[in-house]
Amino acid sequence: MIMVTISSTWYLFLPIILSLCPITLCASVLEDLKNLHQPPDFNSTIFSNCLKNPSLRYCSSSPMLDLDEIFKFTIVASHLCNESKNPNCVESFPKVDLRNRPNIAPLYLSFDFFWKYCPLSIMSIDLSNNSMKGDFPTDVLYCTQIQSLDLSINAFSGDIPIQSFSPLTNLTFLNLSYNCFSESKLSDSQFFKRFNSSSFLHSGALLDQKRPDFLPSKLQRSRRFTPAILKAATNDFSNKYLVGKSDVVHIYKGILRDGTEVKIEMYWDDIPRDSYRKFVEECKVLSKLHHKNLVRFLGWCRSRKFRAIITEWTREENVEMWLSGSGPPWNHRLKVLMGVVACMRYLQEEWPEVDYELNTSSILLSDNVEPLISRFKVGDQNSNRRKIHGFGVFLLEMILSRKVQEEFDGGDAGFIRFMRTLNLADLKQMIDERMKVTETIFHQVKQALSLGLMCIDQSNSDKPSLAMIFNTIARAYKASHALPSANHRFKRHMPVQTK
Ligand SMILES: *[C@@H]1O[C@H](CO)[C@@H](O)[C@H](O)[C@H]1NC(C)=O
Ligand SMILES: *[C@@H]1O[C@H](CO)[C@@H](O)[C@H](O)[C@H]1NC(C)=O
Ligand SMILES: *[C@@H]1O[C@H](CO)[C@@H](O)[C@H](O)[C@H]1NC(C)=O
Ligand SMILES: *[C@@H]1O[C@H](CO)[C@@H](O)[C@H](O)[C@H]1NC(C)=O
Ligand SMILES: *[C@@H]1O[C@H](CO)[C@@H](O)[C@H](O)[C@H]1NC(C)=O
Ligand SMILES: *[C@@H]1O[C@H](CO)[C@@H](O)[C@H](O)[C@H]1NC(C)=O
Ligand SMILES: *[C@@H]1O[C@H](CO)[C@@H](O)[C@H](O)[C@H]1NC(C)=O
């Protein structure tokens, strides 16, 4: 129906041009634009076209019809119709077909007055394989009636103007493949559902839909993120997503397209090529680590300007905050210790080269109060003594009251001497009173305390082994499972608390 109306209208003004040029079109479009002039009755032809068919785009141009522009439009339209090999340009103009025409496609794209009045008869536009550069050619979207748009195999860049596609309700075929668009934003996922991934192959906009990190399989295996993914996940590194920064590192909370929240540590440092290679090697090791008490390493990214490490986003509560907050009971503390030791054992057995920081501020807590070791790196194979020492300090921090911990300032040796001078009653006073330690628990806590002291004792040449630490903590942890009810009974009858 529409086609019929349009073609008859089209027919009404094409002869004007044709009548000026006996042999179809006389010259190149540029020459015609320069040399042809409106016939004297052009004004009335256009007005009567608009009376018959007010939906023609040029009829609604405001405030007044720009006859000069409309005339230029008719010249370009008749050339483009002919270039697109439409069968009968006097009657109909169904397609713009400039595929494989790098010499003229950019020129036609530049005639904004043509696209502004885009003939309603055009149903498909093909501008593929023309090496065209620059921003997305938004002018073609004036042709809101089109059913098919192919811009594949060009070098268009920048954002795809996704909002501008919503008026194109009849568009069923779209191909933006093989371009250099920016990675699209999470909020645009509706658009990417409207057209499937074969419309965006190697377009830059969409890398892979199957995985949270949307990486091509080759990059997926090596856990490599592209700068564009990070840019999209942080809305172009906007301050809204920045959660912490220092001179060398910026920390972002990013959101991948599938909604996964991630922590992105960006290092804006300029390191030599060798160190880059080392960084990549280390990232490959870290990406293989897998333990429930280790923050999940999701991937890495490098570019000329920065290095980045991407890990899972966790709750921001660390053990230090947890301890100083509600004063958790002993069995909860044991659960945390158990998780930390289990993770230490996993790393020692499978990844001895991985070094980590055990520290009440660097151990985070998951939603179900599982500890997460969050600072780790590929380091020194021979750091076992330091790791045991670190655990000892952590263990003592988990048990002793804040007051006593200040004694640490005197150094380990002084602290150990100080602890040894204490009798049992004194010792009870040192324990974080909010644990509400009962007699039964006190026995466990005392064992844990002496384990902690052994771990930090530098004068002791054979420190407890990790296996021994694991067994001690595991035993206490198992016993504590049976405790809560016993604990209650005990408390009701004889509340022995260390006040
Ligand atoms: C019209 O199209 C034909 C076939 O595509 C072409 O040979 C001819 O040069 C075109 N004429 C003009 C004036 O563009
Ligand atoms: C022709 O144009 C003039 C001004 O440009 C306008 O006043 C007049 O109404 C137009 N004539 C017709 C027949 O539309
Ligand atoms: C793209 O155009 C070039 C010539 O400009 C041609 O050799 C090539 O086959 C075309 N590719 C496709 C996919 O049409
Ligand atoms: C889509 O097609 C329908 C039916 O041909 C038509 O009524 C409607 O105007 C078209 N939509 C646009 C945006 O051109
Ligand atoms: C994408 O959609 C087209 C039809 O529009 C279909 O032929 C093709 O198989 C689909 N491809 C994928 C990967 O879903
Ligand atoms: C888009 O174009 C590319 C390159 O020619 C092709 O591989 C892909 O299948 C096309 N997609 C669709 C949806 O036709
Ligand atoms: C604990 O972590 C903080 C913050 O990273 C760090 O400054 C401090 O040196 C760490 N303490 C120990 C004993 O490792």
Short mmCIF file of all heavy atoms in Angstrom, two decimals, residues 52-104:
data_model
loop_
_atom_site.label_atom_id
_atom_site.label_comp_id
_atom_site.label_asym_id
_atom_site.label_seq_id
_atom_site.Cartn_x
_atom_site.Cartn_y
_atom_site.Cartn_z
N LYS A 52 -1.36 15.71 -1.32
CA LYS A 52 -1.78 14.33 -1.59
C LYS A 52 -1.24 13.37 -0.54
O LYS A 52 -1.90 12.42 -0.14
CB LYS A 52 -1.27 13.89 -2.97
CG LYS A 52 -2.06 14.46 -4.11
CD LYS A 52 -1.79 13.63 -5.37
CE LYS A 52 -1.98 14.49 -6.61
NZ LYS A 52 -0.71 15.00 -7.16
N ASN A 53 0.01 13.60 -0.11
CA ASN A 53 0.64 12.65 0.82
C ASN A 53 1.43 13.40 1.90
O ASN A 53 2.63 13.54 1.80
CB ASN A 53 1.55 11.70 0.05
CG ASN A 53 2.09 10.61 0.95
OD1 ASN A 53 1.82 10.59 2.15
ND2 ASN A 53 2.87 9.71 0.38
N PRO A 54 0.72 13.83 2.94
CA PRO A 54 1.38 14.65 3.97
C PRO A 54 2.46 13.89 4.74
O PRO A 54 3.26 14.50 5.44
CB PRO A 54 0.24 15.03 4.91
CG PRO A 54 -1.02 14.66 4.20
CD PRO A 54 -0.69 13.59 3.22
N SER A 55 2.49 12.55 4.59
CA SER A 55 3.50 11.82 5.37
C SER A 55 4.90 11.92 4.76
O SER A 55 5.87 11.51 5.38
CB SER A 55 3.09 10.34 5.49
OG SER A 55 3.26 9.70 4.25
N LEU A 56 5.02 12.44 3.56
CA LEU A 56 6.35 12.62 2.97
C LEU A 56 7.20 13.45 3.93
O LEU A 56 6.73 14.45 4.47
CB LEU A 56 6.25 13.33 1.62
CG LEU A 56 5.66 12.48 0.50
CD1 LEU A 56 5.40 13.33 -0.75
CD2 LEU A 56 6.60 11.33 0.15
N ARG A 57 8.45 13.03 4.10
CA ARG A 57 9.24 13.67 5.16
C ARG A 57 9.44 15.16 4.92
O ARG A 57 9.44 15.94 5.84
CB ARG A 57 10.59 12.96 5.31
CG ARG A 57 10.45 11.62 6.01
CD ARG A 57 11.72 11.18 6.68
NE ARG A 57 11.45 10.04 7.53
CZ ARG A 57 11.36 8.79 7.08
NH1 ARG A 57 11.55 8.53 5.79
NH2 ARG A 57 11.08 7.81 7.91
N TYR A 58 9.63 15.55 3.66
CA TYR A 58 9.92 16.98 3.45
C TYR A 58 8.71 17.85 3.74
O TYR A 58 8.83 19.04 3.97
CB TYR A 58 10.50 17.25 2.06
CG TYR A 58 9.66 16.81 0.88
CD1 TYR A 58 8.54 17.54 0.50
CD2 TYR A 58 10.03 15.72 0.09
CE1 TYR A 58 7.78 17.16 -0.61
CE2 TYR A 58 9.30 15.33 -1.01
CZ TYR A 58 8.16 16.06 -1.35
OH TYR A 58 7.42 15.70 -2.45
N CYS A 59 7.51 17.25 3.75
CA CYS A 59 6.31 18.05 4.00
C CYS A 59 6.23 18.56 5.44
O CYS A 59 5.60 19.56 5.71
CB CYS A 59 5.06 17.23 3.70
SG CYS A 59 5.00 16.71 1.98
N SER A 60 6.86 17.82 6.35
CA SER A 60 6.74 18.24 7.74
C SER A 60 7.94 19.05 8.20
O SER A 60 8.11 19.29 9.38
CB SER A 60 6.56 17.01 8.64
OG SER A 60 7.62 16.12 8.40
N SER A 61 8.79 19.47 7.25
CA SER A 61 9.94 20.25 7.69
C SER A 61 9.46 21.63 8.11
O SER A 61 8.61 22.24 7.46
CB SER A 61 10.99 20.33 6.59
OG SER A 61 10.49 21.05 5.50
N SER A 62 9.96 22.09 9.21
CA SER A 62 9.46 23.35 9.75
C SER A 62 10.60 24.36 9.86
O SER A 62 11.76 23.97 9.86
CB SER A 62 8.84 23.09 11.12
OG SER A 62 9.84 22.52 11.95
N PRO A 63 10.35 25.65 9.95
CA PRO A 63 9.01 26.21 9.94
C PRO A 63 8.40 26.22 8.53
O PRO A 63 7.18 26.15 8.38
CB PRO A 63 9.21 27.64 10.44
CG PRO A 63 10.62 27.97 10.12
CD PRO A 63 11.38 26.69 10.06
N MET A 64 9.24 26.29 7.50
CA MET A 64 8.69 26.33 6.14
C MET A 64 9.45 25.36 5.28
O MET A 64 10.56 24.98 5.60
CB MET A 64 8.85 27.74 5.55
CG MET A 64 7.63 28.61 5.81
SD MET A 64 7.87 30.29 5.26
CE MET A 64 8.64 30.14 3.70
N LEU A 65 8.86 24.92 4.21
CA LEU A 65 9.58 24.03 3.31
C LEU A 65 10.80 24.76 2.77
O LEU A 65 10.71 25.89 2.29
CB LEU A 65 8.68 23.64 2.13
CG LEU A 65 7.48 22.77 2.48
CD1 LEU A 65 6.77 22.35 1.20
CD2 LEU A 65 7.94 21.54 3.23
N ASP A 66 11.92 24.09 2.86
CA ASP A 66 13.13 24.67 2.29
C ASP A 66 13.25 24.11 0.87
O ASP A 66 13.81 23.03 0.66
CB ASP A 66 14.33 24.28 3.17
CG ASP A 66 15.62 24.90 2.67
OD1 ASP A 66 15.69 25.26 1.47
OD2 ASP A 66 16.56 25.01 3.48
N LEU A 67 12.68 24.84 -0.07
CA LEU A 67 12.59 24.31 -1.43
C LEU A 67 13.95 24.02 -2.04
O LEU A 67 14.12 23.05 -2.78
CB LEU A 67 11.81 25.27 -2.32
CG LEU A 67 10.31 25.34 -2.00
CD1 LEU A 67 9.63 26.38 -2.87
CD2 LEU A 67 9.64 23.98 -2.19
N ASP A 68 14.91 24.84 -1.68
CA ASP A 68 16.25 24.65 -2.23
C ASP A 68 16.82 23.30 -1.78
O ASP A 68 17.37 22.55 -2.58
CB ASP A 68 17.14 25.81 -1.76
CG ASP A 68 18.42 25.86 -2.54
OD1 ASP A 68 18.36 25.70 -3.78
OD2 ASP A 68 19.50 26.02 -1.91
N GLU A 69 16.62 23.03 -0.49
CA GLU A 69 17.12 21.78 0.07
C GLU A 69 16.37 20.58 -0.54
O GLU A 69 16.96 19.56 -0.86
CB GLU A 69 16.94 21.82 1.58
CG GLU A 69 17.92 20.95 2.34
CD GLU A 69 17.72 21.09 3.84
OE1 GLU A 69 16.58 20.92 4.33
OE2 GLU A 69 18.71 21.36 4.53
N ILE A 70 15.07 20.74 -0.68
CA ILE A 70 14.27 19.65 -1.24
C ILE A 70 14.68 19.37 -2.69
O ILE A 70 14.76 18.22 -3.11
CB ILE A 70 12.76 19.97 -1.15
CG1 ILE A 70 12.35 20.05 0.32
CG2 ILE A 70 11.92 18.90 -1.86
CD1 ILE A 70 10.96 20.60 0.54
N PHE A 71 15.01 20.42 -3.39
CA PHE A 71 15.45 20.23 -4.77
C PHE A 71 16.76 19.43 -4.80
O PHE A 71 16.92 18.48 -5.57
CB PHE A 71 15.62 21.58 -5.48
CG PHE A 71 16.01 21.43 -6.91
CD1 PHE A 71 15.11 20.91 -7.85
CD2 PHE A 71 17.28 21.78 -7.36
CE1 PHE A 71 15.47 20.74 -9.18
CE2 PHE A 71 17.65 21.61 -8.68
CZ PHE A 71 16.74 21.09 -9.60
N LYS A 72 17.70 19.82 -3.93
CA LYS A 72 18.97 19.09 -3.86
C LYS A 72 18.71 17.62 -3.49
O LYS A 72 19.35 16.71 -4.00
CB LYS A 72 19.91 19.74 -2.83
CG LYS A 72 20.49 21.04 -3.35
CD LYS A 72 21.58 21.67 -2.49
CE LYS A 72 21.61 21.29 -1.05
NZ LYS A 72 22.47 22.12 -0.20
N PHE A 73 17.75 17.44 -2.58
CA PHE A 73 17.38 16.09 -2.17
C PHE A 73 16.92 15.25 -3.37
O PHE A 73 17.33 14.10 -3.55
CB PHE A 73 16.28 16.17 -1.11
CG PHE A 73 15.41 14.95 -0.99
CD1 PHE A 73 15.89 13.76 -0.47
CD2 PHE A 73 14.08 14.99 -1.42
CE1 PHE A 73 15.08 12.65 -0.37
CE2 PHE A 73 13.26 13.88 -1.32
CZ PHE A 73 13.76 12.69 -0.80
N THR A 74 16.11 15.84 -4.24
CA THR A 74 15.62 15.07 -5.39
C THR A 74 16.77 14.69 -6.33
O THR A 74 16.77 13.60 -6.90
CB THR A 74 14.54 15.84 -6.18
OG1 THR A 74 15.13 17.03 -6.71
CG2 THR A 74 13.35 16.18 -5.34
N ILE A 75 17.75 15.56 -6.43
CA ILE A 75 18.90 15.25 -7.30
C ILE A 75 19.67 14.06 -6.74
O ILE A 75 19.96 13.08 -7.43
CB ILE A 75 19.84 16.47 -7.42
CG1 ILE A 75 19.12 17.61 -8.16
CG2 ILE A 75 21.13 16.09 -8.14
CD1 ILE A 75 19.90 18.92 -8.16
N VAL A 76 19.98 14.13 -5.43
CA VAL A 76 20.74 13.04 -4.81
C VAL A 76 19.92 11.76 -4.87
O VAL A 76 20.45 10.68 -5.18
CB VAL A 76 21.11 13.39 -3.36
CG1 VAL A 76 21.69 12.18 -2.64
CG2 VAL A 76 22.11 14.54 -3.35
N ALA A 77 18.60 11.88 -4.61
CA ALA A 77 17.75 10.68 -4.61
C ALA A 77 17.79 9.98 -5.97
O ALA A 77 17.95 8.76 -6.04
CB ALA A 77 16.32 11.05 -4.24
N SER A 78 17.70 10.76 -7.04
CA SER A 78 17.65 10.07 -8.33
C SER A 78 19.00 9.44 -8.67
O SER A 78 19.05 8.34 -9.23
CB SER A 78 17.17 11.02 -9.44
OG SER A 78 17.82 12.25 -9.31
N HIS A 79 20.11 10.09 -8.28
CA HIS A 79 21.43 9.48 -8.50
C HIS A 79 21.59 8.21 -7.67
O HIS A 79 22.02 7.18 -8.17
CB HIS A 79 22.55 10.46 -8.12
CG HIS A 79 22.91 11.39 -9.22
ND1 HIS A 79 23.81 11.06 -10.21
CD2 HIS A 79 22.51 12.66 -9.49
CE1 HIS A 79 23.95 12.08 -11.05
NE2 HIS A 79 23.16 13.07 -10.63
N LEU A 80 21.23 8.34 -6.39
CA LEU A 80 21.44 7.20 -5.49
C LEU A 80 20.56 6.02 -5.89
O LEU A 80 20.98 4.87 -5.82
CB LEU A 80 21.15 7.63 -4.04
CG LEU A 80 21.40 6.59 -2.95
CD1 LEU A 80 22.81 6.00 -3.05
CD2 LEU A 80 21.19 7.19 -1.58
N CYS A 81 19.36 6.33 -6.34
CA CYS A 81 18.46 5.26 -6.78
C CYS A 81 19.08 4.51 -7.96
O CYS A 81 19.11 3.28 -8.00
CB CYS A 81 17.12 5.86 -7.18
SG CYS A 81 15.91 4.62 -7.62
N ASN A 82 19.66 5.28 -8.87
CA ASN A 82 20.29 4.67 -10.04
C ASN A 82 21.53 3.89 -9.63
O ASN A 82 21.72 2.75 -10.04
CB ASN A 82 20.65 5.77 -11.04
CG ASN A 82 21.28 5.19 -12.30
OD1 ASN A 82 20.68 4.37 -12.97
ND2 ASN A 82 22.51 5.62 -12.60
N GLU A 83 22.38 4.48 -8.75
CA GLU A 83 23.60 3.80 -8.29
C GLU A 83 23.25 2.49 -7.57
O GLU A 83 24.03 1.55 -7.58
CB GLU A 83 24.39 4.68 -7.31
CG GLU A 83 25.00 5.93 -7.91
CD GLU A 83 26.26 5.64 -8.75
OE1 GLU A 83 26.54 4.45 -9.02
OE2 GLU A 83 26.95 6.60 -9.12
N SER A 84 22.10 2.46 -6.92
CA SER A 84 21.71 1.27 -6.15
C SER A 84 21.07 0.21 -7.01
O SER A 84 20.54 -0.78 -6.48
CB SER A 84 20.76 1.67 -5.03
OG SER A 84 21.38 2.56 -4.15
N LYS A 85 21.11 0.44 -8.32
CA LYS A 85 20.60 -0.56 -9.26
C LYS A 85 19.15 -0.94 -8.99
O LYS A 85 18.77 -2.12 -9.04
CB LYS A 85 21.49 -1.80 -9.27
CG LYS A 85 22.93 -1.46 -9.61
CD LYS A 85 23.78 -2.72 -9.77
CE LYS A 85 25.23 -2.35 -10.02
NZ LYS A 85 25.87 -1.69 -8.85
N ASN A 86 18.36 0.04 -8.66
CA ASN A 86 16.93 -0.23 -8.55
C ASN A 86 16.38 -0.36 -9.96
O ASN A 86 16.84 0.32 -10.88
CB ASN A 86 16.24 0.92 -7.80
CG ASN A 86 16.52 0.84 -6.31
OD1 ASN A 86 16.05 -0.06 -5.63
ND2 ASN A 86 17.31 1.78 -5.81
N PRO A 87 15.43 -1.21 -10.16
CA PRO A 87 14.99 -1.51 -11.53
C PRO A 87 14.38 -0.30 -12.26
O PRO A 87 14.66 -0.09 -13.42
CB PRO A 87 13.96 -2.62 -11.35
CG PRO A 87 13.67 -2.71 -9.90
CD PRO A 87 14.78 -2.06 -9.17
N ASN A 88 13.60 0.51 -11.55
CA ASN A 88 12.98 1.62 -12.25
C ASN A 88 12.90 2.84 -11.35
O ASN A 88 11.98 3.00 -10.56
CB ASN A 88 11.57 1.22 -12.70
CG ASN A 88 10.94 2.30 -13.54
OD1 ASN A 88 11.50 3.41 -13.65
ND2 ASN A 88 9.80 2.01 -14.13
N CYS A 89 13.91 3.68 -11.51
CA CYS A 89 14.02 4.79 -10.57
C CYS A 89 12.98 5.88 -10.82
O CYS A 89 12.87 6.82 -10.04
CB CYS A 89 15.42 5.36 -10.60
SG CYS A 89 16.53 4.31 -9.67
N VAL A 90 12.27 5.77 -11.88
CA VAL A 90 11.22 6.76 -12.09
C VAL A 90 10.00 6.39 -11.25
O VAL A 90 9.25 7.23 -10.79
CB VAL A 90 10.86 6.86 -13.58
CG1 VAL A 90 9.75 7.88 -13.81
CG2 VAL A 90 12.09 7.25 -14.38
N GLU A 91 9.87 5.11 -10.98
CA GLU A 91 8.68 4.68 -10.25
C GLU A 91 8.91 4.30 -8.81
O GLU A 91 8.03 4.43 -7.98
CB GLU A 91 8.03 3.50 -10.99
CG GLU A 91 7.45 3.96 -12.30
CD GLU A 91 6.56 2.92 -12.91
OE1 GLU A 91 6.61 1.76 -12.45
OE2 GLU A 91 5.85 3.27 -13.85
N SER A 92 10.09 3.79 -8.52
CA SER A 92 10.25 3.25 -7.18
C SER A 92 11.70 3.33 -6.71
O SER A 92 12.62 3.30 -7.52
CB SER A 92 9.77 1.79 -7.18
OG SER A 92 10.06 1.22 -5.94
N PHE A 93 11.88 3.40 -5.41
CA PHE A 93 13.21 3.47 -4.83
C PHE A 93 13.24 2.59 -3.59
O PHE A 93 13.25 3.07 -2.47
CB PHE A 93 13.53 4.94 -4.47
CG PHE A 93 14.94 5.22 -4.03
CD1 PHE A 93 15.35 6.53 -3.86
CD2 PHE A 93 15.86 4.20 -3.77
CE1 PHE A 93 16.64 6.83 -3.45
CE2 PHE A 93 17.14 4.49 -3.37
CZ PHE A 93 17.54 5.80 -3.20
N PRO A 94 13.23 1.25 -3.76
CA PRO A 94 13.14 0.38 -2.57
C PRO A 94 14.43 0.18 -1.79
O PRO A 94 14.39 -0.13 -0.62
CB PRO A 94 12.65 -0.96 -3.14
CG PRO A 94 13.03 -0.93 -4.57
CD PRO A 94 13.13 0.50 -5.00
N LYS A 95 15.61 0.33 -2.44
CA LYS A 95 16.82 0.02 -1.66
C LYS A 95 17.97 0.99 -1.92
O LYS A 95 18.12 1.52 -3.02
CB LYS A 95 17.26 -1.41 -1.96
CG LYS A 95 17.67 -1.66 -3.41
CD LYS A 95 18.22 -3.09 -3.58
CE LYS A 95 19.10 -3.24 -4.79
NZ LYS A 95 18.43 -3.73 -5.99
N VAL A 96 18.76 1.18 -0.88
CA VAL A 96 20.05 1.85 -1.02
C VAL A 96 21.07 0.73 -0.96
O VAL A 96 21.23 0.08 0.06
CB VAL A 96 20.30 2.84 0.14
CG1 VAL A 96 21.73 3.36 0.09
CG2 VAL A 96 19.30 3.98 0.09
N ASP A 97 21.71 0.48 -2.09
CA ASP A 97 22.67 -0.61 -2.13
C ASP A 97 24.03 -0.09 -2.55
O ASP A 97 24.31 0.07 -3.74
CB ASP A 97 22.18 -1.70 -3.10
CG ASP A 97 23.14 -2.88 -3.16
OD1 ASP A 97 24.17 -2.84 -2.43
OD2 ASP A 97 22.88 -3.83 -3.91
N LEU A 98 24.85 0.21 -1.57
CA LEU A 98 26.19 0.71 -1.87
C LEU A 98 27.24 -0.24 -1.32
O LEU A 98 28.29 0.17 -0.85
CB LEU A 98 26.37 2.13 -1.32
CG LEU A 98 25.52 3.22 -1.97
CD1 LEU A 98 25.78 4.57 -1.31
CD2 LEU A 98 25.81 3.32 -3.47
N ARG A 99 26.92 -1.52 -1.36
CA ARG A 99 27.88 -2.52 -0.91
C ARG A 99 29.10 -2.51 -1.83
O ARG A 99 28.99 -2.36 -3.03
CB ARG A 99 27.17 -3.88 -0.98
CG ARG A 99 27.98 -5.02 -0.47
CD ARG A 99 27.21 -6.34 -0.69
NE ARG A 99 28.04 -7.44 -0.25
CZ ARG A 99 28.11 -7.83 1.01
NH1 ARG A 99 27.36 -7.25 1.93
NH2 ARG A 99 28.92 -8.81 1.36
N ASN A 100 30.29 -2.67 -1.21
CA ASN A 100 31.55 -2.70 -1.97
C ASN A 100 31.72 -1.47 -2.88
O ASN A 100 32.21 -1.60 -4.00
CB ASN A 100 31.66 -3.95 -2.87
CG ASN A 100 31.45 -5.24 -2.10
OD1 ASN A 100 31.55 -5.25 -0.87
ND2 ASN A 100 31.15 -6.31 -2.80
N ARG A 101 31.32 -0.30 -2.42
CA ARG A 101 31.48 0.92 -3.23
C ARG A 101 32.23 1.98 -2.43
O ARG A 101 31.71 3.08 -2.21
CB ARG A 101 30.10 1.46 -3.65
CG ARG A 101 29.19 0.47 -4.38
CD ARG A 101 29.64 0.16 -5.80
NE ARG A 101 29.62 1.33 -6.68
CZ ARG A 101 28.52 1.76 -7.30
NH1 ARG A 101 27.37 1.13 -7.14
NH2 ARG A 101 28.57 2.80 -8.10
N PRO A 102 33.46 1.67 -2.00
CA PRO A 102 34.18 2.62 -1.13
C PRO A 102 34.41 3.99 -1.76
O PRO A 102 34.62 4.97 -1.05
CB PRO A 102 35.51 1.90 -0.84
CG PRO A 102 35.65 0.87 -1.89
CD PRO A 102 34.25 0.48 -2.30
N ASN A 103 34.33 4.06 -3.09
CA ASN A 103 34.58 5.36 -3.72
C ASN A 103 33.41 6.32 -3.62
O ASN A 103 33.61 7.53 -3.65
CB ASN A 103 34.96 5.17 -5.18
CG ASN A 103 36.28 4.44 -5.32
OD1 ASN A 103 37.13 4.55 -4.42
ND2 ASN A 103 36.45 3.69 -6.40
N ILE A 104 32.20 5.80 -3.57
CA ILE A 104 31.07 6.73 -3.52
C ILE A 104 30.24 6.66 -2.24
O ILE A 104 29.55 7.62 -1.89
CB ILE A 104 30.13 6.55 -4.74
CG1 ILE A 104 29.58 5.11 -4.77
CG2 ILE A 104 30.82 6.90 -6.05
CD1 ILE A 104 28.37 5.00 -5.70
#
